[in-house]
Amino acid sequence: MPKGCRRKSSKDFGLSGTRVNEGSRVERTTVGKASQTCDDLVQKAVPLTMMDAPRVPSVTITPESGGSSREMQQEDWDDAVDGTLRRKLSNSSISSTGSSAVESEDDLLSDNESKSKGIITLEHLVDAGESKPWWKLKTIVQWPFSATQRRKLNWVQLAGHKGNFKAADEGNILKKFSENEMQCFEKLREDALLPFVPSYHGTVEKDGESFLHMTDLLVNFDLPNVMDCKMGVRTYLEEELVRARERPKPREDLYNKMMEVDSEGPTSQEHSQRGVTKPRYMQWRETMSSTNTLGFRIEGIKKCDGTCRTDFKKTRSMQDVIHVFKDFVGGNVNILKSYLSRLREIQQALKASHFFRQHEVIGSSLLFIHDHTSNAQVWIIDFGKTTALPEGQMLSHDIPWQEGNREDGYLWGLENLIHTLESVSNEETDGETSYSDAK
Ligand code: I3P
């Protein structure tokens, strides 16, 4: 049972303040000149076809009012890849162990300050009927359910837009309608990926709003631990890049989010206009995290002790990611093995999937869920930005992206994710062996 999740001790909740290694070691592509063990990991983790980090085409950043423009230069990209940005970040004043109590529903998991700072305190609820402690994220909109029913709802939103979810009938949730996502679910009904996506039950109208009605993935878990990993080497659509080039719209909210992480992140022009365009922000997020170097990144973790963290914007190196995974599974090798076997099943299904071949999969996540009974599952979620290709076009998902080819690096990222978990599993197993040897 992971530490801190035994039901008897659930009253002892508080912020465990897990700390990700934010060391200042400089990395190129993945780990660079790290220790031998680390080099080995990198060799395993980075297939030759993707050894070079994907190149980002230039984005022209011009204020709408028509001020001077600045091209995102190759040097910017190189800086990001070789770690310059990371070094700057390691001096960031943002604490990764601080907490922020949530005052209102709107404060939680929105794209605002409390989300950006990353640690969120959850409400501790006790179901009167069963004296059963539940941790509830307040983003669950108060639907017309009895208090007891609401207390049993344990759905959690770790990433994405605030207010996207509502509680539904038992075992289900409602997600804000997206035409794109609905079409994906419809097509997935006949696809090899069906066993790995949430069951979709059609659309629902409530108070003049439309929702997708789907299974709550947490329903069969007892005090679940949840991790959201966003997959792929790119998190924005090619069309967003084109739009930003044609009609650049510097956004102040994105500028502020960038400043929260790294006050030296914005260029001088971005500072003076107090705005960054969305692709520029997304590219910055990708270079800052492991998206570009590993093809996936950790977005958020909600643990069974009630803590919820989304402060992984700087979790970039393989070692950082290993550290987070180790903490997430609490040293439980059985859970790691279940996750690995599920990931390999997903990998096989993706390779067999017609849907996958014919879609650019952007912003989709793998949701890891386990509990103290060692029940562990991984699901493919979030198809809001998954876009069908023109008739006859197909993606391989494991070759580098160049603007125009629409590749997303999903399979490459999955391969790296599997290697990462294998490394965690090996390290945990070795640890157990040396411990028993020593005894
Ligand atoms: C957000 C994140 C979301 C993105 C959102 C970003 O950044 O990348 O995926 O929404 O764009 O602000 P962060 O994780 O740093 O908070 P989409 O995936 O829907 O584009 P938005 O601000 O335009 O909603």
Side-chain angles (χ1 to χ4, degrees), residues 161 230 251 254 257 278 281-282 285 313 385:
H161 300 276
K230 192 175 271 195
R251 283 174 49 182
L254 299 182
K257 283 206 282 189
K278 179 147 172 194
Y281 176 77
M282 301 294 259
R285 284 277 276 121
K313 285 197 169 87
K385 289 175 85 172

Side-chain angles (χ1 to χ4, degrees), residues 111-112 115-116 252-262 281 284 313:
D111 294 337
N112 64 13
K115 180 184 172 193
S116 299
E252 192 171 357
D253 61 326
L254 299 182
Y255 171 80
N256 290 338
K257 283 206 282 189
M258 194 185 265
M259 286 291 287
E260 267 175 30
V261 178
D262 180 11
Y281 176 77
W284 169 81
K313 285 197 169 87

Side-chain angles (χ1 to χ4, degrees), residues 3-20:
K3 273 179 244 147
C5 296
R6 285 178 301 270
R7 316 198 91 210
K8 277 183 192 157
S9 63
S10 60
K11 279 186 190 154
D12 306 333
F13 100 98
L15 290 166
S16 57
T18 317
R19 200 169 173 82
V20 178

